Amino acid sequence: MPETTPKGLTRLAFGGDYNPEQWPESVWPEDVRLMREAGVTMVSVGIFSWALLEPEQGVYDFGWLDRIIGLLHENGIRVDLGTPTVSPPAWFYRAHPEALPVTVDGTRYEFGSRGAICHSNADYRAAAANITTKLAERYGDHPALALWHVFNEYGVPVSACYCDSCAAHFRRWLTTTYKSVDGVNEAWGTAFWGQRYGDIGQINPPRLTPTAVNPAQALDYTRFADATMRENFVAERDILHRLAPGIPVTTNFMAALSQCESVDYWAWGREVDLVTNDHYLITDGRRTHVNLAMAADLTRSVAGGAPWLLLEHSTSGVNWQPRNPAKAPGQMARNALSHVARGSDGAMFFQWRQSRRGAEKFHSAMLPHGGTETRVWREVVELGASVDELGQIRGTRTQADVAVVWDWHSWWAQKLAWRPSEDHDARERADAFYEALYDRHLTVDFAHPEADLSAYPLVVVPALYLMTEAAGRNLQRYVEQGGTLVVSYFSGIVDEHDAVHEGAYPGALRDVLGLTVEEFSPLLADQRVRITGPDGSELTGDVWTEFVVPSGAETVWTYAEGLTADHPAVTRHRLGEGTAWYVSTRLDAHGLDALLGWAAEDARIAPRADLPYDVEVVCREGELGSFLFAINHSASDVKVPLGTDGTELLTGERAAGGLAVPAGAVRVVRLDG
């Protein structure tokens, strides 16, 4: 079995992308000296260096890389070595211009950015395999090598190409998937609009069309593009496994729903030796620490609950959003340690030294333009010391309370054209339900719809438009065996080919929810509906309503107005030993909290009223004990109850029964016993 932790790294990973090629070699010793001052344990090297390593086809220059890896090794810093295949050199594109990707409207991109790759192109694949082989042969047994880092952020900025090479590759993929053109016609429902194909050779990618393209074809092309990128990763991974056994291989994910939509991370998580992730705060006015927690929980779930590694985040502001505010004092540490609390065995950044040139020169770094006299540098050094103090949590696992069901294929399908309402956004519902669970101080695992859910007393389905029959049976079995399920509207509607399940909505969920939906009735922009309970209390919904007909479910809340007046809005169905809740409108934060409160009672999850708002409390457990992280995102000092005594690792103080956490601070307690 391949190794799953960075080789030779005995502490938590702390460091970042190091791009020494951007600087005179005379700077390198100073960089490494400052790395040691900051407590750096590992850096990522070589990710964008193909043009330097192979300045002409078949001509190689490894001298500079030899020297920097040697310098890092002499100073006890481990190396995450990149294969530079995200940015082929200019000479490659001059020789193979057809390796540049083509957009849906037929425009071919130009060289001059990054990630401009047609993943079906045979010349690119051969060149990538060659440079990967050369690196593995030269550095596979280097004593500094801890981890292989293939490519960089697959799917960003380009995942799908629509060129003729991709068309031929797509036809091969379809033949493998469906065996024959008849299988494709059946899966895609090509009888509609006269789209039937007579042979595979007639099929092209879903390029620009005058109106909505066949949705099943578009969905399969997204799957194909994702699978093609994964093929290229696996090809490089297998070269590295063969030539450098014992060194784990990864590629940096962007698992946050706010950052990458085109990659099925459930599938990718099975291919890497160690799950790693990049995460950047999205400054859209929301509580950014909630999105961060969600991304970390999702990454840990993709890793199957095992420890993972935060390979990139920012020390302060980024440079690629419309507005890029700096992080507040202490926010860097809170961000980094929130990832650690939720399963990361380290905290790394992009990048070590802030660039003077290029597109990301205003992206913050560990060593800013202003050098060691800056607030950011002082906080980096302080964080490095904190990370070092937490070394004993390495290898422990974060403990979750509930599960949220999520599927990238369903998200892709729901985003296709001509759905009942453009205002219904799967990501928005996932964010909203997650935030409601976060505010109830519940730690979340994410789960594939067909995964074993038996460990969770409560499972939430915020948006699952596409659902296989197997997934429907899985959720029904979960409820029958005693679980509590909460399902939001427009779920269970179509199968894996975007075909509506036979019979009434919500096809795959009818039996477990104990109801049918006769008709969707989306609301107009800014339209609201009142929902009333049996005690006269009220909730508010928007975006969506439905004509729900119970067939075993009891009505808990009812629409008080609009087309669906007097129809059920929220239902509860007792099935076997468990309970299934259904909400047929978009509830606001107050409504979601009420709904999840009722469901939590069914699941026998005790409320955490003793924990303050915007204070995270997360536990990691392992052979060395239990570790409680308390992260205070609020502006007030708080007291967190412990239930037992322990030792605070960052200050060395004893904590008896309760833990004082100053405003904006992080505390980590190793619990006694």
Side-chain angles (χ1 to χ4, degrees):
M1 291 291 291
E3 293 294 323
T4 59
T5 58
K7 184 178 180 180
L9 189 63
T10 57
R11 296 179 288 169
L12 296 181
F14 184 69
D17 286 35
Y18 182 35
N19 299 292
E21 63 271 28
Q22 297 181 17
W23 304 95
E25 194 162 341
S26 59
V27 174
W28 298 358
E30 176 70 0
D31 275 333
V32 173
R33 184 188 71 79
L34 290 174
M35 287 179 190
R36 294 187 62 176
E37 182 178 328
V40 167
T41 59
M42 185 169 75
V43 293
S44 302
V45 175
I47 295 168
F48 296 100
S49 300
W50 194 344
L52 295 178
L53 295 170
E54 190 178 6
E56 300 176 38
Q57 184 173 4
V59 176
Y60 304 99
D61 179 6
F62 294 107
W64 68 272
L65 189 55
D66 291 347
R67 293 192 295 277
I68 192 60
I69 292 178
L71 182 61
L72 292 165
H73 178 57
E74 290 169 7
N75 285 272
I77 298 169
R78 308 297 294 165
V79 172
D80 165 35
L81 184 55
T83 68
T85 48
V86 68
S87 289
W91 62 254
F92 172 81
Y93 286 120
R94 175 66 65 89
H96 307 288
E98 68 282 358
L100 289 161
V102 174
T103 65
V104 69
D105 65 358
T107 301
R108 189 178 294 277
Y109 286 119
E110 280 289 348
F111 174 78
S113 180
R114 74 173 206 191
I117 294 165
C118 167
H119 284 275
S120 294
N121 183 267
D123 294 309
Y124 167 74
R125 290 182 168 205
N130 178 69
I131 191 64
T132 298
T133 299
K134 295 295 184 183
L135 285 165
E137 289 173 342
R138 191 172 189 93
Y139 301 106
D141 61 355
H142 196 290
L145 185 61
L147 184 65
W148 286 109
H149 181 308
V150 171
F151 201 81
N152 184 74
E153 298 175 344
Y154 279 99
V156 179
V158 177
S159 57
C161 170
Y162 297 82
C163 72
D164 290 341
S165 293
C166 287
H169 192 181
F170 184 44
R171 295 178 197 119
R172 295 192 296 272
W173 183 87
L174 290 171
T175 300
T176 300
T177 303
Y178 295 111
K179 311 305 179 188
S180 69
V181 71
D182 290 339
V184 176
N185 283 321
E186 175 63 24
W188 289 3
T190 57
F192 185 78
W193 278 0
Q195 295 174 352
R196 184 181 181 278
Y197 296 100
D199 64 68
I200 290 287
Q202 296 172 355
I203 300 175
N204 277 322
R207 294 166 175 153
L208 190 64
T209 56
T211 187
V213 73
N214 184 321
Q217 179 185 8
L219 176 58
D220 264 352
Y221 203 74
T222 304
R223 289 169 169 150
F224 158 75
D226 177 55
T228 302
M229 292 188 294
R230 201 160 56 249
E231 285 177 15
N232 287 356
F233 167 76
V234 168
E236 292 191 44
R237 180 203 66 191
D238 289 352
I239 291 170
L240 298 170
H241 278 171
R242 176 170 54 85
L243 296 176
I247 306 298
V249 182
T250 192
T251 184
N252 45 340
F253 294 169
M254 296 197 77
L257 304 185
S258 56
Q259 292 177 181
C260 185
E261 301 179 2
S262 59
V263 175
D264 176 7
Y265 286 116
W266 294 126
W268 282 79
R270 297 190 291 269
E271 301 295 349
V272 297
D273 300 331
L274 168 67
V275 167
T276 61
N277 195 54
D278 298 350
H279 182 264
Y280 294 97
L281 301 182
I282 303 300
T283 52
D284 60 358
R286 294 176 54 79
R287 297 155 71 200
T288 56
H289 55 278
V290 179
N291 175 273
L292 186 156
M294 182 178 179
D297 284 345
L298 184 52
T299 306
R300 182 187 68 252
S301 302
V302 167
W308 54 281
L309 179 58
L310 175 67
L311 210 50
E312 288 184 27
H313 73 310
S314 67
T315 57
S316 192
V318 298
N319 72 306
W320 39 263
Q321 298 182 80
R323 287 157 291 280
N324 298 284
K327 291 186 178 181
Q331 188 177 1
M332 178 203 307
R334 290 198 304 279
N335 288 171
L337 297 180
S338 291
H339 285 289
V340 173
R342 295 176 185 273
S344 176
D345 270 359
M348 298 183 64
F349 295 90
F350 180 85
Q351 59 181 321
W352 164 251
R353 181 184 282 270
Q354 193 169 13
S355 300
R356 289 186 57 225
R357 297 175 174 85
E360 294 187 282
K361 56 183 169 288
F362 297 116
H363 190 298
S364 61
M366 299 176 77
L367 183 59
H369 291 309
T372 58
E373 299 303 316
T374 59
R375 172 181 67 89
V376 166
W377 171 254
R378 291 190 292 273
E379 291 193 23
V380 163
V381 173
E382 183 178 348
L383 177 59
S386 296
V387 169
D388 190 55
E389 292 293 334
L390 299 179
Q392 59 189 293
I393 72 157
R394 186 169 175 266
T396 60
R397 292 188 172 221
T398 301
Q399 303 303 301
D401 303 301
V402 300
V404 169
V405 172
W406 180 258
D407 182 29
W408 277 273
H409 292 241
S410 178
W411 192 21
W412 298 339
Q414 187 179 315
K415 288 172 69 70
L416 295 171
W418 292 11
R419 298 318 188 213
S421 174
E422 66 178 17
D423 296 327
H424 174 39
D425 180 349
R427 178 196 153 193
E428 183 279 330
R429 281 293 81 189
D431 286 346
F433 271 92
Y434 182 90
E435 188 165 2
L437 292 165
Y438 178 98
D439 285 340
R440 297 186 73 83
H441 301 285
L442 298 173
T443 303
V444 172
D445 274 349
F446 286 82
H448 187 275
E450 297 180 18
D452 180 8
L453 302 170
S454 59
Y456 305 102
L458 175 63
V459 171
V460 174
V461 179
L464 201 60
Y465 160 75
L466 182 153
M467 183 184 289
T468 63
E469 293 286 355
R473 291 192 297 271
N474 186 47
L475 293 179
Q476 181 165 337
R477 183 167 54 250
Y478 165 76
V479 173
E480 289 173 339
Q481 294 175 355
T484 300
L485 178 70
V486 176
V487 177
S488 188
Y489 61 92
F490 205 48
S491 294
I493 306 302
V494 300
D495 67 12
E496 61 269 34
H497 304 299
D498 198 47
V500 174
H501 287 286
E502 289 189 13
Y505 309 130
L509 291 168
R510 284 192 302 261
D511 293 339
V512 67
L513 296 177
L515 55 82
T516 60
V517 174
E518 287 189 348
E519 191 176 3
F520 308 131
S521 185
L523 300 177
L524 301 179
D526 300 324
Q527 191 175 358
R528 304 283 188 273
V529 290
R530 288 187 301 110
I531 303 165
T532 58
D535 58 355
S537 57
E538 290 190 356
L539 300 177
T540 301
D542 67 0
V543 171
W544 194 274
T545 62
E546 294 176 344
F547 292 92
V548 174
V549 179
S551 55
E554 61 178 299
T555 300
V556 181
W557 291 77
T558 304
Y559 290 111
E561 58 190 1
L563 287 178
T564 55
D566 300 326
H567 284 77
V570 177
T571 62
R572 180 172 182 255
H573 185 217
R574 293 181 175 87
L575 182 67
E577 300 298 316
T579 305
W581 290 80
Y582 183 63
V583 55
S584 63
T585 188
R586 190 176 80 163
L587 296 176
D588 59 15
H590 169 69
L592 285 180
D593 180 67
L595 171 66
L596 292 172
W598 303 322
E601 289 183 13
D602 283 346
R604 298 180 177 84
I605 296 174
R608 303 296 305 274
D610 53 350
L611 293 178
Y613 182 75
D614 267 348
V615 176
E616 293 182 46
V617 175
V618 183
C619 289
R620 289 185 63 158
E621 295 183 359
E623 293 182 359
L624 293 180
S626 297
F627 301 86
L628 182 143
F629 286 72
I631 304 169
N632 185 0
H633 297 284
S634 78
S636 303
D637 297 348
V638 299
K639 188 87 168 181
V640 172
L642 293 178
T644 186
D645 297 343
T647 300
E648 206 289 307
L649 299 181
L650 301 180
T651 63
E653 298 175 355
R654 288 290 293 170
L659 176 67
V661 186
V666 180
R667 294 291 181 263
V668 184
V669 177
R670 178 175 177 172
L671 301 174
D672 294 345

